[in-house]
Amino acid sequence: MTDQAVEREVGRARLRKEDARLITGQTNWTDNITVTGLLHLAILRSPMAHARIERLDVSPALERPGVVAAFSGRDLAAGLGSLPCAWPVTEDMVLPDHPPVAVDEVRHAGDPVAVVVARDRYAAADALEAIEVDYEPLPPVLDLEEALAEDAPLVHADKGTNRAYVWPLRTGEDFEAVKQRADVVLERRYRQQRLIPNAMEPRAVVVTPLAASGEFTVYSSTQIPHILRIMLSVVTGVPEHKLRVIAPDVGGGFGSKLQVYGEEAIAVEVARRLGRPVKWTESRSEGYLATHHGRGMIQDIEIAATREGRLLGLKVDLIADMGAYLMLVTPGTPILGAFMYPGIYKMDSYEFSCTGVFTTRTPTDAYRGAGRPEATYAIERVMDELAAEVGLDPVEVRRRNWIRHEEFPYASIAGLTYDSGNYEAATDKALALFGYDDLRAEQRKRNERGDGVRLGIGVSTYTEMCGLAPSRVLRDLRYSAGGWEAASIRMLPTGKVEVVTGTSPHGQGHVTCWSQIAADVLGVPFEDVEVLHGDTRTAPQGMDTYGSRSLVVGGSAVHRAAEKVVDKARKVAAHLLEASEDDLEFKGGVFSVKGSPEARRTIQEIAFETFTSHDVPDGMEPTLNSEYLLDPENFSYPHGTHLCAVEVDTETGQTRIRSYVCVDDVGRVINPVIVEGQVHGGLAQGIAQALYEEAVYDAEGNLVSGTMADYLVPSAADLPEFVTDRTETPAVSNPLGAKGVGEAGTIASTPAVVNAIVDALRPLGVHDVRMPCTPERVWEAVRSAPPARSAQKEGSA
């Protein structure tokens, strides 16, 4: 018998297992799925932001070639309930009905009003124009502050208000008392523009009914097959055990596929009525109207500090745009940020309040970072303002306020316990890579010359709460589900391994990382591990993928399940080797007897012996298969420092990112290649918010940035080269020591870029530029700025 040559996998830069299928076109996107007798859905959407449906006649569509059926909202209402909101953040939250197809009133441009079913997608789309609809226009509700006025038109007249909820959090000393002893009090208003998710794969759904048993298989481009199964049962009335949900290959999501959409419920209902399989796939412009948006809020920030730059207190008042309806986690998304506005800083007082407001726009919901980018943006912008006010370098003012590495674990003012971190190490490494002092020296010289192209340096030091998990915390936040995760390990008779995970990937590299985790624990080759996911029949338990939780919670569950396999195999090995379990060593996939290394068995051999069950310990079941459901006790807290240098042309407003450096601490790294990919993708989205992307509505509530010609998504050519590095302080809340990386780049990069732009223009009297910082907005900020105080006082030198 020879030793197994199994190399350590965790930490190894493995190429992704998933990529071969992707780059050779052997993928199975939802829109690729075709079955016998497949029909196609098309949805007529309201062209108006707010209107009463006076008359709707679908019968002319039935006369079009290829059309099989057509339904109004009233036709479908008998079989469909309201779309779910899983996060009633307050006891008195206003929760309007949300019909999958509007019945009497439309409340945003793109609201569905009718459905056509045809033999091909083009016939269905063409038939939409035959449907007759008469609308009575109603006043749109667009301005968040005006929506709260006493005489404002109402999005939901039966509710009597546009205020969805008010959610407060107050900790520490009284903020007003803290202000009284402060030397510096600053108030700033920031706006988070609406963003439209742009996953590479549009949303799609296919439903195949099995009439004899009343079963339905739902294929959906979703991040949440398990949650979708439960919620579809609630909305459609189909018993949960009669629904099978499959997320096949999913081409990105960024939160947009963390949703239970009306189109999924419609497809189930139509398939049930017609007894035929149906498919719906959105067009890109349709998705801009119908896929939930992200962000969208006004942030009023007030800080109190000493003249030495020590932060004493923080007050945050948010007005958050819910859009027309409360979708799955719409009301909770801005509240996730409530715990992150203090960031990495110590203070004596913290007050937070969020008011959710209904408007006649597409609903908002989770988008990469979900509340945390908004929080980081606000605190990092206002820390730069504090530095300017007291005449300190922006890095220095952060040093004077952050939690020091020897203070971990640290109970933050917002009520979280940060388990580990080293902000000093990440910042020092980033400053060195960036050449911070040299850039500041160059900036001073250029400012003294009065250059038309100004150099700006932006700083963003962040932390975030990842691994959305602790079920009891979610209970306290009134979230309707838990945060545990499930995994199981199946040891096959031939020694190969199947890992079944409740997380559902959509581009993150789960298959590769989970293979590495299982291979290390079991001591088997990486190539011998297969990962199964995304099918509620194959993986019946799970809480899915969002909030940078997959590795921290799902990967940890895989680790624990694999440990259980080893524990079971140890019993068989001890029996076969006629030794005590305590006398066995397990290394590299081999059990050996201490002091007698020739007495050994591989875990693959034990798997086969257990399968035959010819000689296993009495009372032991004949399998090594194990499962583990993990519910962490705490979140995880990645952190880091991002630095951005920009050149801003004061004559044209054009901004060019000259250099970008980030040093992130994401805990123990499973695969550095995948970490780099996640960081780069996150940076692209965060920079896009700072410079390019915005969902723009006109005065009537029409989305005027409704195509990629109008909504600017940056390409690789629009982005700089990134210099990335890491420090590593392992998390103590999970067995992997991992902290999560999926959202870090997006959370940290937006304030780094905007801080750099403002830093460049501060000598000219500019202290804010509204996002996205387009050339026009930068130019206007320069032209309208009041005369500046000295450059030294403004902190730009």
Side-chain angles (χ1 to χ4, degrees), residues 380-707:
E380 289 303 292
R381 284 287 296 112
V382 83
M383 288 302 284
D384 260 31
E385 294 298 297
L386 175 60
E389 184 68 23
V390 300
L392 288 173
D393 183 276
V395 174
E396 177 58 28
V397 83
R398 287 165 170 82
R399 289 187 191 279
R400 295 186 182 190
N401 286 283
W402 66 32
I403 303 155
R404 298 187 306 275
H405 70 276
E406 64 269 17
E407 296 179 280
F408 288 94
Y410 185 86
S412 80
I413 188 74
L416 300 177
T417 299
Y418 299 170
D419 62 340
S420 68
N422 192 327
Y423 308 141
E424 303 99 305
T427 301
D428 288 345
K429 181 177 278 194
L431 292 171
L433 290 170
F434 192 61
Y436 186 83
D437 292 339
D438 290 342
L439 282 167
R440 283 294 184 199
E442 178 187 345
Q443 182 189 50
R444 282 192 292 271
K445 292 177 182 178
R446 292 173 66 161
N447 286 348
E448 290 167 1
R449 292 197 304 264
D451 283 3
V453 177
R454 295 293 180 124
L455 175 63
I457 298 167
V459 181
S460 174
T461 49
Y462 79 98
T463 188
E464 58 156 328
M465 52 191 285
C466 283
L468 191 65
S471 295
R472 292 182 180 181
V473 174
L474 296 178
R475 172 203 64 194
D476 293 343
L477 293 174
R478 301 180 59 86
Y479 183 62
S480 297
W484 52 266
E485 195 47 78
S488 61
I489 306 287
R490 302 201 289 244
M491 287 292 298
L492 305 181
T494 55
K496 308 303 180 185
V497 179
E498 289 179 337
V499 174
V500 181
T501 176
T503 60
S504 187
H506 44 285
Q508 295 90 339
H510 289 37
V511 171
T512 302
C513 289
W514 280 213
S515 295
Q516 291 179 272
I517 292 167
D520 261 10
V521 177
L522 300 173
V524 302
F526 171 80
E527 295 77 12
D528 286 356
V529 182
E530 189 74 18
V531 178
L532 308 176
H533 58 80
D535 182 339
T536 60
R537 184 163 294 172
T538 303
Q541 298 183 98
M543 292 304 298
D544 305 317
T545 294
Y546 40 87
S548 297
R549 70 185 301 273
S550 289
L551 176 61
V552 174
V553 191
S556 293
V558 170
H559 181 92
R560 291 298 193 207
E563 287 181 328
K564 288 180 70 173
V565 169
V566 173
D567 288 343
K568 293 175 77 172
R570 186 183 300 276
K571 297 181 185 300
V572 180
H575 177 78
L576 295 173
L577 295 171
E578 299 181 341
S580 165
E581 290 182 44
D582 294 337
D583 290 336
L584 292 186
E585 292 181 334
F586 181 69
K587 184 177 181 180
V590 177
F591 289 98
S592 61
V593 180
K594 297 174 185 176
S596 301
E598 70 283 355
R600 56 204 295 115
R601 290 294 181 96
T602 69
I603 196 168
Q604 291 99 327
E605 291 173 322
I606 293 170
F608 187 78
E609 293 287 349
T610 307
F611 162 72
T612 65
S613 199
H614 291 169
D615 189 13
V616 296
D618 292 341
M620 180 175 177
E621 58 183 359
T623 180
L624 298 182
N625 297 349
S626 298
E627 67 176 8
Y628 198 95
L629 275 74
L630 184 140
D631 195 348
E633 297 179 359
N634 194 5
F635 300 101
S636 61
Y637 301 95
H639 68 83
T641 297
H642 288 223
L643 302 171
C644 178
V646 301
E647 291 186 328
V648 182
D649 189 326
T650 58
E651 295 298 320
T652 66
Q654 186 67 40
T655 296
R656 181 181 75 88
I657 296 179
R658 178 167 134 179
S659 61
Y660 196 102
V661 169
C662 62
V663 174
D664 295 293
D665 191 324
V666 299
R668 185 159 291 127
V669 171
I670 305 301
N671 187 321
V673 173
I674 289 176
V675 167
E676 286 294 296
Q678 287 286 321
V679 170
H680 280 218
L683 292 176
Q685 285 183 282
I687 292 170
Q689 178 173 8
L691 296 178
Y692 301 110
E693 296 188 27
E694 182 176 23
V696 179
Y697 286 81
D698 66 16
E700 301 301 318
N702 300 303
L703 181 65
V704 297
S705 55
T707 71

Side-chain angles (χ1 to χ4, degrees), residues 77-335:
L80 294 175
S82 178
L83 293 175
C85 174
W87 204 337
V89 294
T90 63
E91 188 173 353
D92 60 350
M93 186 184 80
V94 175
L95 181 57
D97 286 341
H98 184 185
V101 183
V103 177
D104 299 311
E105 194 171 312
V106 294
R107 294 183 170 87
H108 68 90
D111 216 355
V113 296
V115 179
V116 169
V117 189
R119 293 186 177 88
D120 68 70
R121 64 187 303 176
Y122 305 104
D126 289 344
L128 293 179
E129 66 185 22
I131 296 174
E132 298 174 1
V133 190
D134 292 335
Y135 296 101
E136 179 188 342
L138 296 171
V141 179
L142 302 170
D143 184 279
L144 293 178
E145 292 178 297
E146 291 177 3
L148 295 173
E150 289 283 339
D151 58 348
L154 299 176
V155 180
H156 299 275
D158 60 317
K159 299 302 180 184
T161 181
N162 289 322
R163 183 179 284 102
Y165 65 85
V166 177
W167 193 93
L169 175 66
R170 293 177 176 84
T171 63
E173 299 178 35
D174 178 72
F175 183 77
E176 292 302 318
V178 166
K179 279 174 61 176
Q180 294 303 311
R181 69 171 193 266
D183 304 310
V184 177
V185 176
L186 297 178
E187 296 182 33
R188 294 292 185 267
R189 168 168 283 201
Y190 302 121
R191 293 180 183 269
Q192 295 282 330
Q193 76 270 37
R194 275 177 167 251
L195 301 175
I196 302 177
N198 278 273
M200 187 172 288
E201 179 206 17
R203 290 191 296 118
V205 59
V206 174
V207 177
T208 60
L210 187 60
S213 60
E215 297 177 82
F216 297 85
T217 299
V218 180
Y219 301 87
S220 182
S221 177
T222 183
Q223 298 174 218
I224 52 167
H226 298 90
I227 294 172
L228 179 60
R229 181 190 189 204
I230 295 168
M231 293 303 187
L232 280 180
S233 177
V234 172
V235 175
T236 66
V238 177
E240 184 182 350
H241 66 289
K242 297 291 187 180
L243 282 169
R244 177 186 183 185
V245 175
I246 300 173
D249 291 308
V250 178
F254 314 120
S256 70
K257 295 172 183 174
L258 166 57
Q259 193 56 264
V260 178
Y261 284 105
E263 293 86 359
E264 292 159 324
I266 293 165
V268 171
E269 177 62 13
V270 170
R272 176 165 57 184
R273 291 190 180 213
L274 301 182
R276 297 270 298 274
V278 298
K279 176 192 287 187
W280 172 81
T281 301
E282 71 180 3
S283 68
R284 184 67 67 178
S285 56
E286 185 179 22
Y288 274 30
L289 290 168
T291 297
H292 74 241
H293 293 177
R295 316 284 193 257
M297 67 171 61
I298 297 170
Q299 302 172 302
D300 286 316
I301 310 298
E302 187 175 6
I303 59 170
T306 69
R307 64 176 54 89
E308 293 78 25
R310 180 176 173 260
L311 191 60
L312 299 176
L314 169 67
K315 183 178 181 181
V316 177
D317 284 309
L318 305 183
I319 305 177
D321 188 352
M322 303 287 97
Y325 301 100
L326 302 183
M327 298 189 74
L328 193 66
V329 294
T330 300
T333 298
I335 289 170

Side-chain angles (χ1 to χ4, degrees), residues 331-355:
T333 298
I335 289 170
L336 276 175
F339 305 97
M340 287 287 101
Y341 278 86
I344 66 173
Y345 306 116
K346 296 180 286 187
M347 60 192 75
D348 302 325
S349 173
Y350 175 49
E351 291 190 9
F352 172 93
S353 179
C354 179
T355 301

